[in-house]
Each structure stands twice: as structure tokens, then as C-alpha cells.
Amino acid sequence: MRPDDPFDDPVTARAVIASDGTLVRWNEGARLLLGHSAEEVVGRPAADLLAAGAAPPPPPSGTLWSGTLALRHQDGGTVTVWVLAHRVRREAGGTGDWLAVTPLGSGETDPAEDPLLRAAMFQSPCATAVFDRDLRLRGVNDAMAALLGLPARQLRGLRPTELGGEPRHFELERHMSQVLQSGRGHDMQTRVRAAGVGRARAWLARIAPLTDEGGRVAGVCVTAHDLTEQYSARARLQLVNEASIRIGTTLDVTRTAQELTEVCVPALADFVSVDLLEQNDLGAEVTDPPTLPVALRRVAHRSHDPVGFESIADTDEVIVYPAAAPQADSLIAGHSVVASVPSGDLNPWLAADETHARQVRELGVHSMLSVPLQARGTTLGVAVFTRFRHPESFTHDDVLLAEEVTARAAVCIDNARRYSRERETTRTLRRSLLPRGLPRTAAVDSASRYLPAARSGVGGDWFDVIPLSGMRVAIVVGDVAGHGIQASATMSRLRTAVRTLADIDLAPDELLTHVDDLVLHLAHESAGDAVGDRDEAADSGRGEVGATCLYAVYDPVSRRCTLARAGHPPPVLVPPDGPARLLDLPSGPPLGLGGLPFESVELELSEGSVLAFYTDGLTEGPAGDTETARPTLTDALSDAASGSLDGACDRVLNTLLGPGSRTEDAALLLTRTRGLPSSRVATWDIPADPALVAPIRKQVLDQLGVWSLTEASFTAELVVSELVTNAIRYGAPPIRLRLICDAATLICEVSDTSHTAPHLRRAKTWDEGGRGLLLVAQLTQRWGSRHTAEGKTIWAELGLLEQEEL
């Protein structure tokens, strides 16, 4: 037995009972209680100590048991005692033994007369006050007297509202009255500036009823508990939670910085400013540390008292901070810096900056906290927290809180910065890939609009007007799924492919078939690139390319339009003499499914008809209700046939999109058809006899005279002669010559039924032929051939304005 082992302390009766019910230890207190020595009971069952006829205690269900037992004294008498038993765990494991204890002599002294208890009442660190039924103070302990800053003996008989006249004293007295009447306790929280303490602290006042021997409420006891640390911790947690909700609601750098200031004023500081490094505010990647002096651009600031406070710098103003400034110190050091006026930390900076020094003096600024904005290894700027109304300087907990909130804001600012950079890059890429304006053609007048999505940015919508041979024009609108650079790049590849296929004059359904093959190829190519990085592929959507397209060809000579679509919304037709309506076209599968057919539809259009092509972002709207939006679209286009196309575009956008934010980008293309008068078209059937070419040339010259194009007669005669001779020699009858003329262009077309395309070759010096098409290419603006249902057509265009200059 160790000398310091309390087991043998005779003030308490102790016994140890093994798990099998055998007594294994017995102390002197137990002997004094029951008269049995340790030698007499150790090793025997503990149940033998029960008095005759006494019921054994129930088996304990846990690790603690208490109850009253009737035990057998050595002299044969019965001793009734209260026993507390708890299980003692063994270090080596196992269930452990039970330690049973009973206090001896606990009822000898009345607790009310115990001097130690009376001393504890007055010397307890828990501030306590006792009031009678009239709410008159009967006494306070030393801690409460120190809290009040008043002498304890002089306070007896005062009511709470006589101890002070602030609202909390009246609230306390009201709650005390309620406790007296109900007999139930009540808790009240308040802030009190304790005597001799510089700042107010948070307190919990617990009001409990005091009862007399008859159980009647005779008074109340008020205990005060300092909850400042818990209150501050809860406030810090609430601020962090509020920051996570309110900071970063937009992908805008300035707005995110403003949200940081709104969250922290006045909860953390009286004035907060956010300054970003000058080279970072447009999204440039900067990894080099800042150098002195530091140039920062003010992007946001906020004051607790905006009426009486004026910031030294305006937003968007560049400020240069010297080495002594806390802003520069924290940026160079890479960690937070706390500086205060009483400590003299701000003196070097204020001595060099009279403007800031004057503001510090006028406002009573006493401390500043500068926290660098850092995210993903990059320093973005600095957030400065200033106190002049808060009486306390920044504590270590304040610094941790500011760093936590600033870190969240820095990530959001960096996200907005990266988004702005990608958005601008995508817009630049899109501007470089799409034409600056739509071409002016003799077939259609056109106007267009493109609106990127408000949040997700530039997408894959595109449209184009492509001049074709024979004064025809191709009109195309498409939509690549997704947003950002990848969608724009895919859009560019599809647009280039469509223009290339349009140049060889493919029919709309055949062109969409080729574009469908290209989308399949792009999907397989993207999936192959993503094999090495499946996670990145899953995040970016690589391997999946979704697109829709609508392609139309309009001929102003025949006034016929051929259209085909691949999963794209149908166009709207606005005839000059009728209401607007959606065209009923076969929908066709979206591009990229492969193997499914596309179908063309041919329409005859009156001159002045308007065709409206658009992407689904225009008709989905905020609620995505396409079926409701399309009738609205037709109504908005009702006057498009007679009015301005640009005005019609604006009217459609204002009607369907309105001022709300868009989740999808939207494109709109309006075209008004023109018709070429029959007087500007001349057609001849050509006999398959080279000897009859001369009369054909004479007829062509006569027609040019009718059109007043004698300046172009020499060139036109040579081109017609070469094309007709080439068709007679290498083509198959029937052969037809057609001249088409407008104000700026003369087009010569020769058609035959042979499907063999011509080839431009350079004849050698001694060759007798082979120079015809080369001569045509030299004399015309452009030339080419296109396949038709009957064979092929070779065409050449002459610029009439150039002929006049010659």
C-alpha cells in the first residue's frame, strides 16, 4: 500500500468487489462502519454482508450504480447506508472491478452553518447576488461587487433599477419579477462594461428562484457568467459563414471586392479597402513578387460612417505605397501586418504621407490590419482593415478572422479574374473567327444580332451569309453545345467547313451530310485526346460534340429557296403580303449522330420576303418555354417585311429576351429576298457545232448593247467563246448559255449534261490547246463549276465596275 494511497482514508468506507462478486479490498473506514476487519471479509462473497432478509441490489446495467442497502454489522445489527459503486477499468483490459464507497459522518454538520460553504458563497469566482421577494438586494459576493465596482456592504436594500438606470437594469428587474411569480428560472444575455475594464463584455445572467422550508419562493438568486469568449467565437463563426454566402455571388472582380467590404464593416473594422496590383485587375497571370514602391488600384472601399468619412482614394484610382506603408509591408512579406498608432508602427509611413497622417488624426484611427490577397500561389492585392470607432486594437483572433474571410474573397476574385480573362480571350477568338460584317449581295439584304450569355459567356452560336455562283446566296445558322473557348473553336471549324462545302455548290442536304461526318470525326478526335486524362476529359466534356445547323440556298433569278436542317429550330417566313409563320421543315437529326438522312425542301418566295434564322437561346427564354416563345417571335416579326431589318432585330430581342440575365447565348439573322428581273437574264440553247460559235458571240454582243455594257463586250466575248467552245468540245448536249447581269456583275454560265468537271492546267509552249480556262481565270473576278441534277455548269463572273475603270 502506497503512503499516498487514499484507499485507507478512514473518512470514507471503501470496498472493492471483483466481477465474480468477491470482496478483494476493504479499508479502515469500512471496518469503522460495519465492524468487520479486512481479514474477516476479503475473499468472501460481498452478498454475505447483506442483512438477513434484505433484498440484493439489482445487477448494474452500466458502469455506475447508487442506492440504499441494509448491511449486517459485526455485532448482528443492521446498518442502512447509501452506497455509490462504479466500475474501475483495468489497464490490461477486461471488465474491471467495482469500487463501492460510503461517506462517513456526512450529516454531522448543517451545511448552512458550515464556515467553508459560507466562505465559498462570498469568495466564489462566479458573481452572485441574492434578492428578496420585494426585489431588494440582500447581499452580493466579492465577484459581483467587483463586477459592479461598488462596495458590497452599501448595496443592501437596493433594487436592480436603483443599481443603474440603463435599459438592461429594467429588463433584469422585469425578468426577476417573472421568476418570482412563476417559480421557474430564466436566462438573460447582456453586455456590461465591468468596473476597471476597458471594453464591454458579454454576460449571461441566470435568474433562479430561492425557496424556503415550505417550498414557497422567498427570493431570487442572480449569477453572472462571462461569455465574452464564447460570444466572440460565435460572432467570428457567424462572420465566416456570412462571408461564404455573400462573397462571390458574381464573376465580377469589383463586385466581389465590394462584397468583402460589406461583410467586414462594421463587424470587423470601421473602414475596409481592397486594392489590387495594377497588372492583375485585367486577369494577367503574375507570379513575380511585387517590388517597392507598390502600385495598387483601389477597386472597393466601405466605411461605417459613409457620411462623415471620405476615402483618400476613389475607386479605380492608382495608389503608390512606399516601403513604410503597411500595405507594402504585408505584400512584400506575404503575411498579415498589424500596425497601431500607440505603438508607433505607423509613424514612418505617416511622416512621409501627410494626407494619410491628417486623416488618421481627424478620425482617431488607432490601428490598421493589412492582409495580402493570395490565391493559387498568386498575390492579387491587399485588403486593409482600419479601426477608429472600435475602441480595441486588432487581436490575434481578429487577424485569424480577417485572414479567413480575405482568403475566401481572394479565391472568388481570382475566379472572377480568370473568368474575365477566358471570356475576353473567347470574345477575341470569336471576333477573329467570324466576319466583321455580313456581305452585301444582290440576292438578299441582311441584318444580324448576337448576344452572349450573361454568366456562362460566349458560346458556339454562329451565322453566315455566303455568296454563291449565279448570284445565289447561302444562308447558314448553327449552334455548338457548350460555352467558352472550346465551343468557339468547334464553331470555327464547322463554319470553315460549311464555307468550303458551300464553295463547291453542294445541295443543302448533301452539305449537312458532310458536316455530320466532320462532327463525328471531331468527337472521335476529342475522345482520343482525352484517353490520357480521363478526369480532365470528364470535367471538360471532351469526347462529346453536339451541334445543330440550318442551311439554305436562295436563287434570286428563280426566286426559289432550298432549305435543310439538322436538329435546328425552323426559320420564320414573313411574306410581303401575309402574316409571319414558322416554316414546316423536316427537323433532321442533330449533327454528330451519323448515318441518318437529311431532307431538303424547296420553296418559291415572293420578292421582299423575310426569312428569320435564329438559335434556341432566343426562344428558350428564362423559363425555357420554347412553345410559348415561338409564337411571340412570329408576332415580333409581323412588320419585318416592310420595315428596317435592324429595327426588326432590336424589336425581337427586346420582346423575347428583355432586361433579364440570359443563361444561353442567342443569335438572330434576318434576310430580305430580292428578285432579279427577267430582263436582266438572257438564255440561249447552243448547237453542238463549233462552226456556230460565231453567231452566238454576235447575239451576246447584241444583248450587252441592250444592257448598255459595251465596255465589257470584249472581255465577255472572249469568255463566252472559250466556255461555249469548251462545252461543245468536251461536254454533252444539250448545251445552254445564260447571261445574268446586275449593277456590278456580269455572270456567264454554260451548262451541259456531262458530269465531268473541268480542270485548269497550264499549256506548254508547243501545245496547240489547253489555254481556254486559264484565259478565263485571268479575265474574270472568279470562275468555277457546280454540279446540277442534269450535269454541270461552268460559270465566270466579270466585275463591271472594273471594266468601266479600264
Side-chain angles (χ1 to χ4, degrees), residues 53 97 209 312 321 358 402 457 473 517 544 721:
D97 301 331
I312 296 298
Y321 292 100
R358 184 174 61 256
V473 65
D517 293 338
E544 298 180 4
S721 178

Side-chain angles (χ1 to χ4, degrees), residues 117-136:
L117 292 179
R118 290 198 302 272
M121 162 63 188
F122 290 98
Q123 300 175 21
S124 170
C126 180
T128 305
V130 176
F131 295 82
D132 59 20
R133 286 196 58 84
D134 296 326
L135 298 184
R136 296 293 179 181

